[in-house]
Coordinates of all heavy atoms in Angstrom, one line a residue:
M1 N -34.0 -21.2 -29.0 CA -34.1 -22.0 -27.8 C -32.8 -22.7 -27.5 O -32.4 -22.8 -26.4 CB -35.2 -23.1 -28.0 CG -36.6 -22.8 -27.6 SD -36.8 -21.7 -26.2 CE -37.5 -22.8 -25.1
A2 N -32.2 -23.3 -28.5 CA -31.0 -24.0 -28.3 C -29.8 -23.1 -27.9 O -29.0 -23.5 -27.0 CB -30.6 -24.7 -29.6
D3 N -29.9 -21.8 -28.4 CA -28.8 -20.9 -27.9 C -29.0 -20.5 -26.4 O -28.0 -20.4 -25.7 CB -28.9 -19.6 -28.8 CG -28.4 -19.8 -30.2 OD1 -27.7 -20.7 -30.4 OD2 -28.8 -18.9 -31.0
D4 N -30.2 -20.4 -26.0 CA -30.4 -20.1 -24.5 C -29.9 -21.3 -23.7 O -29.3 -21.0 -22.6 CB -31.9 -19.9 -24.2 CG -32.4 -18.6 -24.8 OD1 -31.6 -17.7 -25.1 OD2 -33.7 -18.5 -25.0
R5 N -30.1 -22.5 -24.1 CA -29.6 -23.7 -23.3 C -28.1 -23.7 -23.3 O -27.5 -24.0 -22.3 CB -30.2 -25.0 -23.9 CG -31.4 -25.5 -23.2 CD -31.7 -26.9 -23.6 NE -31.6 -27.0 -25.0 CZ -32.1 -27.9 -25.8 NH1 -32.7 -28.9 -25.2 NH2 -31.9 -27.9 -27.1
Q6 N -27.5 -23.4 -24.5 CA -26.1 -23.4 -24.6 C -25.5 -22.3 -23.7 O -24.4 -22.5 -23.0 CB -25.6 -23.2 -26.0 CG -25.8 -24.4 -26.9 CD -25.4 -24.2 -28.3 OE1 -25.2 -23.1 -28.7 NE2 -25.4 -25.3 -29.1
N7 N -26.1 -21.1 -23.7 CA -25.6 -20.0 -22.8 C -25.7 -20.3 -21.4 O -24.8 -20.1 -20.6 CB -26.4 -18.7 -23.1 CG -26.0 -18.1 -24.4 OD1 -24.9 -18.4 -25.0 ND2 -26.8 -17.2 -25.0
D8 N -26.9 -21.0 -21.0 CA -27.0 -21.4 -19.6 C -26.0 -22.4 -19.2 O -25.5 -22.4 -18.1 CB -28.5 -21.9 -19.4 CG -29.5 -20.8 -19.4 OD1 -29.1 -19.6 -19.3 OD2 -30.7 -21.1 -19.6
D9 N -25.8 -23.4 -20.1 CA -24.8 -24.4 -19.8 C -23.4 -23.8 -19.7 O -22.7 -24.2 -18.8 CB -24.8 -25.4 -21.0 CG -23.9 -26.6 -20.7 OD1 -23.9 -27.1 -19.5 OD2 -23.2 -27.0 -21.6
L10 N -23.1 -22.9 -20.6 CA -21.8 -22.3 -20.5 C -21.6 -21.4 -19.2 O -20.6 -21.5 -18.6 CB -21.6 -21.4 -21.7 CG -20.2 -20.6 -21.8 CD1 -19.1 -21.6 -21.9 CD2 -20.2 -19.7 -23.0
E11 N -22.6 -20.7 -18.9 CA -22.6 -19.9 -17.7 C -22.4 -20.8 -16.4 O -21.7 -20.4 -15.5 CB -23.8 -19.0 -17.6 CG -23.8 -17.8 -18.6 CD -25.0 -17.0 -18.6 OE1 -25.9 -17.2 -17.7 OE2 -25.2 -16.2 -19.5
S12 N -23.1 -21.9 -16.4 CA -23.0 -22.7 -15.2 C -21.7 -23.4 -15.2 O -21.1 -23.6 -14.1 CB -24.1 -23.8 -15.3 OG -23.9 -24.7 -16.3
R13 N -21.1 -23.7 -16.3 CA -19.7 -24.3 -16.3 C -18.7 -23.3 -15.9 O -17.8 -23.6 -15.1 CB -19.4 -24.8 -17.8 CG -20.2 -26.1 -18.1 CD -20.0 -26.6 -19.5 NE -18.6 -26.5 -20.0 CZ -18.3 -26.4 -21.3 NH1 -19.3 -26.4 -22.2 NH2 -17.1 -26.3 -21.7
I14 N -18.9 -22.0 -16.3 CA -17.9 -21.0 -15.9 C -18.1 -20.8 -14.4 O -17.0 -20.6 -13.7 CB -18.2 -19.7 -16.7 CG1 -17.8 -19.8 -18.1 CG2 -17.5 -18.5 -16.0 CD1 -18.2 -18.7 -19.0
A15 N -19.3 -20.7 -13.9 CA -19.5 -20.6 -12.4 C -18.9 -21.7 -11.6 O -18.2 -21.5 -10.6 CB -21.0 -20.4 -12.1
K16 N -19.0 -22.9 -12.1 CA -18.4 -24.1 -11.4 C -16.9 -24.0 -11.5 O -16.2 -24.3 -10.5 CB -18.8 -25.4 -12.1 CG -20.3 -25.8 -11.8 CD -20.6 -27.1 -12.5 CE -22.1 -27.4 -12.3 NZ -22.4 -28.6 -13.1
A17 N -16.3 -23.6 -12.6 CA -14.9 -23.5 -12.7 C -14.3 -22.4 -11.8 O -13.3 -22.6 -11.1 CB -14.5 -23.2 -14.1
R18 N -15.0 -21.3 -11.7 CA -14.6 -20.2 -10.8 C -14.7 -20.6 -9.3 O -13.8 -20.4 -8.5 CB -15.5 -18.9 -11.0 CG -15.1 -18.2 -12.2 CD -15.9 -16.9 -12.3 NE -15.5 -16.2 -13.5 CZ -16.2 -15.3 -14.2 NH1 -17.5 -15.1 -13.7 NH2 -15.8 -14.7 -15.2
A19 N -15.7 -21.3 -9.0 CA -15.9 -21.8 -7.6 C -14.8 -22.8 -7.3 O -14.2 -22.8 -6.2 CB -17.3 -22.5 -7.4
A20 N -14.5 -23.7 -8.2 CA -13.4 -24.7 -8.0 C -12.1 -24.0 -7.8 O -11.3 -24.4 -7.0 CB -13.4 -25.7 -9.1
E21 N -11.8 -23.0 -8.6 CA -10.5 -22.3 -8.5 C -10.4 -21.5 -7.2 O -9.4 -21.5 -6.6 CB -10.4 -21.3 -9.7 CG -9.1 -20.6 -9.7 CD -7.8 -21.4 -9.9 OE1 -8.0 -22.6 -10.3 OE2 -6.7 -20.9 -9.6
E22 N -11.5 -20.9 -6.8 CA -11.5 -20.2 -5.5 C -11.3 -21.1 -4.4 O -10.6 -20.8 -3.4 CB -12.9 -19.4 -5.4 CG -12.9 -18.5 -4.2 CD -14.2 -17.7 -4.2 OE1 -14.7 -17.3 -5.3 OE2 -14.7 -17.4 -3.1
A23 N -12.0 -22.3 -4.4 CA -11.8 -23.3 -3.4 C -10.4 -23.8 -3.4 O -9.8 -24.1 -2.3 CB -12.8 -24.4 -3.6
R24 N -9.8 -24.0 -4.5 CA -8.4 -24.5 -4.6 C -7.4 -23.6 -4.1 O -6.5 -23.9 -3.4 CB -8.1 -24.9 -6.1 CG -6.7 -25.6 -6.3 CD -6.5 -25.8 -7.8 NE -6.2 -24.6 -8.5 CZ -5.0 -24.0 -8.5 NH1 -4.0 -24.4 -7.9 NH2 -4.9 -22.9 -9.3
T25 N -7.5 -22.3 -4.5 CA -6.5 -21.3 -4.1 C -6.9 -20.6 -2.8 O -6.0 -20.0 -2.1 CB -6.3 -20.3 -5.2 OG1 -7.5 -19.6 -5.4 CG2 -5.8 -20.9 -6.5
G26 N -8.1 -20.5 -2.5 CA -8.6 -19.8 -1.3 C -8.5 -18.3 -1.5 O -8.6 -17.5 -0.6
I27 N -8.4 -17.8 -2.8 CA -8.4 -16.4 -3.1 C -9.5 -16.1 -4.1 O -9.7 -16.8 -5.1 CB -7.0 -16.1 -3.8 CG1 -5.9 -16.4 -2.8 CG2 -7.0 -14.6 -4.2 CD1 -4.5 -16.2 -3.4
N28 N -10.2 -15.1 -3.8 CA -11.3 -14.6 -4.7 C -10.6 -13.6 -5.6 O -10.2 -12.5 -5.2 CB -12.4 -14.0 -3.9 CG -13.5 -13.5 -4.8 OD1 -13.5 -13.7 -6.1 ND2 -14.6 -13.0 -4.2
P29 N -10.5 -13.9 -6.9 CA -9.8 -13.0 -7.9 C -10.4 -11.6 -8.0 O -9.8 -10.6 -8.2 CB -9.7 -13.7 -9.2 CG -10.4 -15.0 -9.0 CD -10.9 -15.1 -7.6
A30 N -11.7 -11.6 -7.8 CA -12.4 -10.3 -8.0 C -12.2 -9.4 -6.8 O -12.2 -8.1 -6.9 CB -13.9 -10.5 -8.1
A31 N -11.9 -9.9 -5.6 CA -11.7 -9.2 -4.4 C -10.3 -8.7 -4.2 O -10.0 -7.9 -3.3 CB -12.2 -9.9 -3.2
R32 N -9.4 -9.2 -5.0 CA -8.0 -8.9 -4.9 C -7.7 -7.6 -5.5 O -8.1 -7.2 -6.6 CB -7.2 -10.0 -5.7 CG -5.9 -10.3 -5.1 CD -5.5 -11.7 -5.5 NE -4.3 -11.6 -6.3 CZ -3.8 -12.6 -7.0 NH1 -4.4 -13.8 -7.0 NH2 -2.7 -12.5 -7.6
P33 N -6.9 -6.7 -4.8 CA -6.6 -5.4 -5.3 C -5.6 -5.5 -6.5 O -5.0 -6.6 -6.7 CB -5.9 -4.7 -4.1 CG -5.4 -5.8 -3.3 CD -6.3 -6.9 -3.4
A34 N -5.5 -4.4 -7.2 CA -4.7 -4.4 -8.4 C -3.2 -4.6 -8.0 O -2.8 -4.4 -6.9 CB -4.8 -3.1 -9.1
K35 N -2.4 -5.1 -8.9 CA -1.0 -5.4 -8.6 C -0.3 -4.1 -8.3 O -0.4 -3.1 -8.9 CB -0.4 -6.0 -9.9 CG 1.0 -6.5 -9.7 CD 1.4 -7.2 -11.0 CE 2.7 -7.9 -10.7 NZ 3.2 -8.7 -11.8
G36 N 0.4 -4.1 -7.2 CA 1.2 -3.0 -6.7 C 0.4 -2.0 -5.8 O 1.0 -1.0 -5.4
Y37 N -0.8 -2.3 -5.6 CA -1.7 -1.4 -4.8 C -1.1 -1.2 -3.4 O -1.0 -0.1 -2.8 CB -3.1 -1.8 -4.8 CG -4.1 -1.0 -4.0 CD1 -4.5 0.2 -4.6 CD2 -4.5 -1.3 -2.8 CE1 -5.4 1.0 -3.9 CE2 -5.3 -0.5 -2.0 CZ -5.8 0.7 -2.6 OH -6.7 1.5 -1.9
G38 N -0.8 -2.3 -2.8 CA -0.2 -2.3 -1.4 C 1.1 -1.6 -1.4 O 1.4 -0.9 -0.4
Q39 N 1.9 -1.8 -2.4 CA 3.2 -1.1 -2.4 C 3.0 0.4 -2.5 O 3.7 1.2 -1.9 CB 4.0 -1.7 -3.6 CG 5.5 -1.3 -3.6 CD 6.2 -2.0 -4.7 OE1 5.6 -2.3 -5.7 NE2 7.5 -2.1 -4.5
G40 N 2.1 0.8 -3.3 CA 1.8 2.2 -3.5 C 1.3 2.8 -2.2 O 1.6 4.0 -1.8
S41 N 0.5 2.1 -1.5 CA 0.0 2.6 -0.2 C 1.1 2.7 0.8 O 1.1 3.7 1.6 CB -1.0 1.6 0.4 OG -2.2 1.5 -0.5
R42 N 2.1 1.8 0.8 CA 3.2 1.9 1.7 C 4.1 3.1 1.4 O 4.5 3.8 2.3 CB 4.1 0.6 1.6 CG 3.5 -0.6 2.3 CD 4.3 -1.8 2.1 NE 5.6 -1.7 2.5 CZ 6.6 -2.4 2.1 NH1 6.4 -3.4 1.2 NH2 7.9 -2.2 2.5
V43 N 4.3 3.4 0.1 CA 5.0 4.6 -0.3 C 4.3 5.8 0.1 O 5.0 6.8 0.7 CB 5.3 4.6 -1.8 CG1 5.8 5.9 -2.3 CG2 6.2 3.5 -2.2
L44 N 3.0 5.9 0.0 CA 2.3 7.1 0.4 C 2.4 7.3 1.9 O 2.5 8.4 2.4 CB 0.8 7.0 0.0 CG -0.1 8.1 0.3 CD1 0.4 9.4 -0.4 CD2 -1.5 7.8 -0.1
A45 N 2.2 6.2 2.6 CA 2.3 6.3 4.1 C 3.7 6.8 4.5 O 3.8 7.6 5.4 CB 2.1 5.0 4.7
E46 N 4.8 6.3 3.9 CA 6.1 6.8 4.2 C 6.3 8.3 3.8 O 6.9 9.0 4.6 CB 7.2 6.0 3.4 CG 7.3 4.6 3.9 CD 8.1 4.5 5.2 OE1 8.9 5.4 5.5 OE2 8.0 3.5 5.9
L47 N 5.8 8.6 2.7 CA 5.9 10.0 2.2 C 5.2 11.0 3.1 O 5.7 12.2 3.2 CB 5.4 10.1 0.7 CG 5.7 11.3 -0.1 CD1 7.2 11.4 -0.3 CD2 5.0 11.2 -1.5
V48 N 4.1 10.6 3.6 CA 3.4 11.6 4.5 C 3.7 11.4 6.0 O 3.9 12.4 6.7 CB 1.8 11.4 4.3 CG1 1.0 12.2 5.2 CG2 1.5 11.7 2.8
G49 N 3.7 10.2 6.4 CA 3.9 9.9 7.9 C 5.2 10.2 8.5 O 5.3 10.8 9.6
V50 N 6.3 9.9 7.8 CA 7.6 10.0 8.4 C 8.0 11.5 8.6 O 8.4 11.9 9.6 CB 8.7 9.2 7.6 CG1 10.1 9.5 8.1 CG2 8.4 7.7 7.7
P51 N 7.8 12.4 7.5 CA 8.1 13.8 7.7 C 7.1 14.5 8.7 O 7.6 15.3 9.5 CB 7.9 14.4 6.3 CG 8.2 13.3 5.4 CD 7.6 12.1 6.1
A52 N 5.9 14.0 8.7 CA 4.9 14.6 9.7 C 5.3 14.2 11.1 O 5.3 15.1 12.0 CB 3.5 14.1 9.4
G53 N 5.8 13.0 11.3 CA 6.2 12.6 12.7 C 7.5 13.3 13.1 O 7.6 13.7 14.2
G54 N 8.4 13.4 12.1 CA 9.7 14.1 12.5 C 9.4 15.6 12.8 O 10.0 16.2 13.7
A55 N 8.5 16.2 12.1 CA 8.2 17.6 12.3 C 7.5 17.8 13.7 O 7.7 18.7 14.4 CB 7.3 18.2 11.2
L56 N 6.6 16.9 14.0 CA 5.8 16.9 15.3 C 6.8 16.7 16.4 O 6.7 17.5 17.4 CB 4.7 15.9 15.3 CG 3.9 15.8 16.5 CD1 3.1 17.1 16.6 CD2 2.9 14.6 16.5
I57 N 7.7 15.8 16.3 CA 8.6 15.5 17.4 C 9.6 16.7 17.6 O 9.9 17.2 18.7 CB 9.4 14.2 17.2 CG1 8.4 13.0 17.4 CG2 10.6 14.1 18.2 CD1 9.0 11.7 16.9
G58 N 10.0 17.2 16.4 CA 10.9 18.4 16.5 C 10.2 19.6 17.1 O 10.9 20.3 17.9
W59 N 9.0 19.8 16.7 CA 8.3 21.0 17.3 C 8.1 20.8 18.8 O 8.3 21.8 19.6 CB 6.9 21.1 16.6 CG 6.0 22.1 17.3 CD1 6.1 23.5 17.1 CD2 5.0 21.9 18.3 NE1 5.1 24.1 17.9 CE2 4.5 23.1 18.6 CE3 4.5 20.7 18.9 CZ2 3.5 23.3 19.6 CZ3 3.5 20.9 19.8 CH2 3.0 22.1 20.2
A60 N 7.8 19.6 19.3 CA 7.6 19.3 20.7 C 8.9 19.5 21.4 O 8.9 20.1 22.5 CB 7.1 17.9 20.9
L61 N 10.0 19.0 20.9 CA 11.3 19.2 21.5 C 11.7 20.7 21.6 O 12.3 21.2 22.6 CB 12.4 18.4 20.9 CG 12.2 16.9 21.1 CD1 13.3 16.1 20.2 CD2 12.3 16.5 22.5
D62 N 11.5 21.4 20.5 CA 11.7 22.9 20.5 C 10.9 23.6 21.5 O 11.4 24.5 22.2 CB 11.4 23.4 19.1 CG 12.6 23.4 18.1 OD1 13.7 23.3 18.6 OD2 12.3 23.4 16.9
Y63 N 9.7 23.2 21.6 CA 8.8 23.9 22.6 C 9.3 23.6 24.1 O 9.4 24.4 24.9 CB 7.4 23.3 22.5 CG 6.4 23.9 23.4 CD1 5.9 25.2 23.2 CD2 6.0 23.3 24.6 CE1 5.0 25.8 24.1 CE2 5.1 23.8 25.4 CZ 4.6 25.1 25.2 OH 3.7 25.6 26.0
W64 N 9.8 22.3 24.3 CA 10.3 21.9 25.6 C 11.6 22.6 25.9 O 11.8 23.0 27.0 CB 10.4 20.4 25.6 CG 10.6 19.8 27.0 CD1 10.3 20.4 28.2 CD2 11.0 18.5 27.2 NE1 10.6 19.5 29.2 CE2 11.1 18.3 28.6 CE3 11.5 17.4 26.4 CZ2 11.5 17.2 29.2 CZ3 11.9 16.3 27.1 CH2 11.9 16.2 28.4
F65 N 12.6 22.6 25.0 CA 13.9 23.1 25.3 C 14.0 24.6 24.9 O 15.0 25.2 25.3 CB 14.9 22.3 24.5 CG 15.1 20.9 24.9 CD1 15.0 19.8 24.0 CD2 15.3 20.6 26.2 CE1 15.2 18.5 24.4 CE2 15.5 19.3 26.6 CZ 15.4 18.2 25.7
G66 N 13.1 25.2 24.2 CA 13.1 26.6 23.9 C 14.2 26.9 22.8 O 14.8 27.9 22.8
T67 N 14.4 25.9 21.9 CA 15.4 26.1 20.8 C 14.8 26.4 19.5 O 15.4 26.1 18.4 CB 16.2 24.8 20.7 OG1 15.4 23.7 20.5 CG2 17.0 24.6 22.0
S68 N 13.6 26.9 19.4 CA 12.8 27.1 18.2 C 13.6 27.8 17.1 O 14.3 28.8 17.5 CB 11.5 27.8 18.5 OG 10.7 27.9 17.4
P69 N 13.6 27.4 15.9 CA 13.1 26.3 15.2 C 14.1 25.3 14.8 O 13.9 24.5 13.9 CB 12.6 27.0 13.9 CG 13.6 28.0 13.6 CD 14.1 28.5 15.0
W70 N 15.2 25.2 15.5 CA 16.3 24.4 15.1 C 16.1 22.9 15.2 O 16.4 22.2 14.2 CB 17.6 24.7 15.9 CG 18.0 26.2 15.5 CD1 17.9 27.2 16.3 CD2 18.4 26.6 14.3 NE1 18.3 28.4 15.7 CE2 18.6 28.0 14.4 CE3 18.7 26.0 13.0 CZ2 19.0 28.8 13.3 CZ3 19.1 26.8 12.0 CH2 19.3 28.2 12.1
L71 N 15.5 22.4 16.2 CA 15.3 21.0 16.3 C 14.2 20.5 15.3 O 14.2 19.4 14.7 CB 14.9 20.5 17.7 CG 16.0 20.6 18.7 CD1 15.5 20.3 20.1 CD2 17.1 19.6 18.3
L72 N 13.2 21.4 15.1 CA 12.2 21.1 14.1 C 12.8 21.0 12.7 O 12.5 20.0 12.0 CB 11.1 22.3 14.1 CG 10.1 22.2 12.9 CD1 9.2 21.1 13.1 CD2 9.4 23.5 12.9
L73 N 13.7 21.9 12.4 CA 14.3 21.8 11.0 C 15.2 20.6 10.9 O 15.2 19.9 9.9 CB 15.1 23.1 10.8 CG 14.2 24.4 10.6 CD1 15.1 25.6 10.5 CD2 13.3 24.2 9.5
I74 N 16.0 20.3 11.9 CA 16.9 19.2 11.9 C 16.1 17.9 11.8 O 16.4 17.0 10.9 CB 17.8 19.2 13.1 CG1 18.8 20.4 13.0 CG2 18.6 17.9 13.3 CD1 19.6 20.6 14.3
L75 N 15.1 17.7 12.6 CA 14.4 16.4 12.6 C 13.5 16.3 11.4 O 13.4 15.2 10.8 CB 13.5 16.3 13.9 CG 14.3 16.0 15.2 CD1 13.3 15.9 16.3 CD2 15.1 14.8 15.0
L76 N 13.0 17.4 10.8 CA 12.3 17.3 9.6 C 13.2 16.9 8.4 O 12.8 16.1 7.6 CB 11.6 18.7 9.3 CG 10.8 18.8 8.0 CD1 9.6 17.8 8.1 CD2 10.3 20.2 7.8
G77 N 14.4 17.5 8.4 CA 15.4 17.1 7.4 C 15.8 15.6 7.5 O 15.8 14.9 6.5
L78 N 16.0 15.2 8.7 CA 16.4 13.8 8.9 C 15.2 12.8 8.5 O 15.4 11.8 7.9 CB 16.8 13.5 10.3 CG 18.1 14.1 10.8 CD1 18.4 13.9 12.2 CD2 19.3 13.4 10.0
A79 N 14.0 13.3 8.8 CA 12.8 12.5 8.5 C 12.6 12.4 7.0 O 12.2 11.3 6.4 CB 11.5 13.1 9.1
I80 N 12.9 13.5 6.2 CA 12.7 13.4 4.8 C 13.8 12.5 4.2 O 13.5 11.7 3.3 CB 12.9 14.9 4.2 CG1 11.6 15.7 4.6 CG2 13.0 14.9 2.7 CD1 11.7 17.2 4.3
I81 N 15.0 12.5 4.7 CA 16.0 11.6 4.2 C 15.6 10.2 4.5 O 15.8 9.3 3.7 CB 17.4 12.0 4.9 CG1 17.9 13.3 4.4 CG2 18.4 10.9 4.6 CD1 19.0 13.9 5.1
A82 N 15.1 9.9 5.7 CA 14.7 8.6 6.1 C 13.5 8.1 5.2 O 13.5 6.9 4.8 CB 14.3 8.5 7.6
A83 N 12.6 9.0 5.0 CA 11.5 8.6 4.1 C 12.0 8.3 2.7 O 11.5 7.3 2.1 CB 10.4 9.7 4.0
G84 N 12.9 9.1 2.2 CA 13.4 8.8 0.8 C 14.1 7.4 0.8 O 14.0 6.7 -0.2
R85 N 14.9 7.1 1.8 CA 15.6 5.9 1.9 C 14.6 4.7 2.0 O 14.8 3.7 1.3 CB 16.5 5.8 3.1 CG 17.4 4.6 3.2 CD 18.1 4.6 4.5 NE 17.1 4.5 5.6 CZ 17.1 3.5 6.5 NH1 17.9 2.6 6.4 NH2 16.1 3.5 7.4
N86 N 13.6 4.8 2.8 CA 12.6 3.8 2.9 C 11.8 3.6 1.6 O 11.5 2.5 1.2 CB 11.6 4.1 4.0 CG 12.2 4.0 5.4 OD1 13.3 3.4 5.5 ND2 11.6 4.6 6.4
I87 N 11.5 4.7 0.9 CA 10.8 4.6 -0.4 C 11.7 3.9 -1.4 O 11.2 3.1 -2.2 CB 10.3 6.0 -0.9 CG1 9.2 6.5 0.1 CG2 9.9 6.0 -2.3 CD1 8.8 7.9 -0.2
Y88 N 13.0 4.2 -1.4 CA 13.9 3.5 -2.3 C 13.9 2.0 -2.0 O 13.9 1.2 -3.0 CB 15.3 4.1 -2.1 CG 16.4 3.5 -2.9 CD1 16.4 3.8 -4.3 CD2 17.3 2.6 -2.4 CE1 17.4 3.2 -5.1 CE2 18.3 2.0 -3.2 CZ 18.3 2.3 -4.5 OH 19.2 1.7 -5.3
K89 N 13.9 1.6 -0.8 CA 13.9 0.2 -0.4 C 12.6 -0.4 -0.9 O 12.6 -1.5 -1.4 CB 14.0 0.0 1.1 CG 15.4 0.2 1.6 CD 15.4 -0.1 3.1 CE 16.8 -0.1 3.7 NZ 16.7 -0.4 5.2
I90 N 11.5 0.2 -0.7 CA 10.2 -0.3 -1.1 C 10.2 -0.5 -2.7 O 9.7 -1.4 -3.2 CB 9.0 0.6 -0.7 CG1 8.9 0.5 0.9 CG2 7.7 0.2 -1.3 CD1 8.0 1.5 1.5
S91 N 10.7 0.5 -3.4 CA 10.7 0.5 -4.8 C 11.6 -0.7 -5.4 O 11.4 -1.1 -6.5 CB 11.2 1.8 -5.4 OG 12.6 2.0 -5.2
K92 N 12.5 -1.2 -4.6 CA 13.4 -2.3 -5.0 C 12.6 -3.6 -4.9 O 13.0 -4.6 -5.5 CB 14.7 -2.3 -4.2 CG 15.6 -1.2 -4.6 CD 16.1 -1.4 -5.9 CE 17.2 -0.3 -6.2 NZ 17.7 -0.4 -7.6
E93 N 11.6 -3.6 -4.1 CA 10.8 -4.9 -3.9 C 10.0 -5.2 -5.1 O 9.6 -4.2 -5.8 CB 9.9 -4.8 -2.6 CG 10.7 -4.6 -1.3 CD 9.7 -4.4 -0.2 OE1 8.5 -4.4 -0.4 OE2 10.3 -4.2 0.9
R94 N 9.6 -6.4 -5.3 CA 8.8 -6.8 -6.4 C 7.3 -6.6 -6.0 O 6.9 -7.0 -4.9 CB 9.0 -8.3 -6.7 CG 8.3 -8.8 -7.9 CD 8.8 -10.1 -8.2 NE 7.9 -10.7 -9.2 CZ 7.9 -11.9 -9.6 NH1 8.7 -12.8 -9.0 NH2 7.1 -12.3 -10.5
A95 N 6.6 -6.0 -6.9 CA 5.1 -5.8 -6.6 C 4.4 -7.1 -6.6 O 4.6 -8.0 -7.4 CB 4.5 -4.9 -7.7
E96 N 3.5 -7.3 -5.6 CA 2.8 -8.5 -5.5 C 1.4 -8.4 -5.9 O 0.7 -7.4 -5.8 CB 2.8 -9.0 -4.0 CG 4.2 -9.3 -3.6 CD 4.2 -9.6 -2.1 OE1 3.2 -9.8 -1.5 OE2 5.3 -9.8 -1.6

């Protein structure tokens, strides 16, 4: 019986401490993503989005000007270089 009361008392004290910390900081620690998750998402978006956008724009310009496949290749190459540069910049930032 005494152990049950002590466990209940401990659990209520832990719950009060968590609520006080959440009220103090305004952050729910359980809902917060893992460290570096946002940075990894930015890298993935750069890695996929920038070359895809460069290829799409290059394809559209090639179709319009009739220079297939040169503008596609040039813009895809420039987009890959830009994505690499942006990923390098992101990797220099401190993970939050």
